Amino acid sequence: IRDKREREKRERGAMNYHKMGTTVARRAKSSAAARVGVRAQARTGLNATSQRQTLGVNQNQNLVQNPTTKRSTNFALEAAASDVVEAVEAPEVSDREAVAYLRNLRGSPNKVRRVLDAIRGMSYEDALMALEFMPYRACDDILKVLYSAAANAKHNYGMNKSKLYISRCWCDEGKMIKRPVARARGRSDVRKKPGCHITMFVKEK
């Protein structure tokens, strides 16, 4: 039985060695084929670059012999570039901004910020319509600030209200008012009443 096991081990080892030899031979063949393919690609690339260089030399010679063709191509390129610039040109925006402030407003800054985030970037007319129909109490105070900013833009800079839009707006934290509140068992607590400051900039398109 022991001899039989040793014989089987030797046979298995011979078979594994044979398999390993075949895999090595296959890998060697594939690597050789890959090297041949890379060399062929390099030769074709060199031939293509030499052909491009000869074509470039011939084109340069033709341009030297016929300078009018070069001028015509330059004019065509300039005309195409001018067309592209005219097509991509952005609308003009004024750098002047009118500002309005509302200080020491009683209320939470977060409740005001959710409304300002919704109207930021809107035009003046769209913002008025949105603030009229939003179900938040802070809309009334923001509407006053927007009216004031539009009036400042018209009076100070002569801007047209129909071309205005909200360029920047934010809400800062104001003074916190603290008031005592009675609690159970004769104790007292503090009720905090926050305040905020609203700033709004409008600009003409």
Side-chain angles (χ1 to χ4, degrees):
I1 294 170
R2 190 178 297 170
D3 295 338
K4 187 177 179 181
R5 288 178 180 174
E6 289 179 357
R7 201 181 307 118
E8 288 177 356
K9 281 183 182 180
R10 283 198 294 271
E11 288 176 358
R12 274 194 235 112
M15 288 175 65
N16 291 332
Y17 183 75
H18 180 68
K19 287 180 182 178
M20 194 162 55
T22 53
T23 53
V24 169
R26 286 175 188 168
R27 288 177 184 172
K29 286 181 182 178
S30 62
S31 61
R35 284 198 294 272
V36 170
V38 168
R39 287 173 185 167
Q41 287 179 1
R43 286 174 192 158
T44 54
L46 289 172
N47 292 332
T49 52
S50 62
Q51 289 176 1
R52 288 196 204 100
Q53 289 176 358
T54 53
L55 286 172
V57 170
N58 293 331
Q59 289 176 359
N60 291 330
Q61 289 177 358
N62 292 331
L63 287 173
V64 170
Q65 291 174 1
N66 299 323
T68 56
T69 57
K70 186 175 181 181
R71 286 179 198 156
S72 63
T73 54
N74 288 335
F75 287 143
L77 289 172
E78 288 175 2
S82 64
D83 293 338
V84 170
V85 169
E86 289 176 1
V88 179
E89 189 176 357
E92 295 182 359
V93 179
S94 176
D95 293 333
R96 298 179 301 175
E97 286 181 320
V99 62
Y101 304 98
L102 181 59
R103 302 298 188 195
N104 298 316
L105 176 67
R106 294 286 295 277
S108 173
N110 292 327
K111 293 178 181 179
V112 178
R113 284 169 187 155
R114 65 184 175 186
V115 181
L116 293 177
D117 292 338
I119 66 170
R120 188 179 292 112
M122 282 187 182
S123 65
Y124 174 66
E125 296 173 353
D126 293 342
L128 289 177
M129 192 178 298
L131 291 171
E132 286 288 341
F133 292 101
M134 276 187 183
Y136 301 118
R137 193 174 66 179
C139 294
D140 297 332
D141 299 312
I142 295 172
L143 198 60
K144 294 177 185 178
V145 183
L146 183 58
Y147 279 134
S148 178
N152 291 338
K154 184 177 180 181
H155 182 268
N156 298 335
Y157 301 106
M159 296 181 183
N160 189 0
K161 285 187 178 181
S162 61
K163 295 182 179 179
L164 294 177
Y165 74 100
I166 301 171
S167 58
R168 294 182 291 163
C169 58
W170 63 85
C171 180
D172 297 318
E173 292 185 0
K175 186 169 67 172
M176 182 78 70
I177 299 174
K178 298 178 182 179
R179 293 289 181 266
V181 182
R183 293 296 182 185
R185 297 183 182 180
R187 293 176 297 180
S188 65
D189 201 354
V190 177
R191 179 176 293 168
K192 296 180 180 179
K193 299 181 178 181
C196 59
H197 309 304
I198 301 174
T199 307
M200 186 175 293
F201 285 85
V202 294
K203 188 186 286 188
E204 191 175 23
K205 290 182 181 180

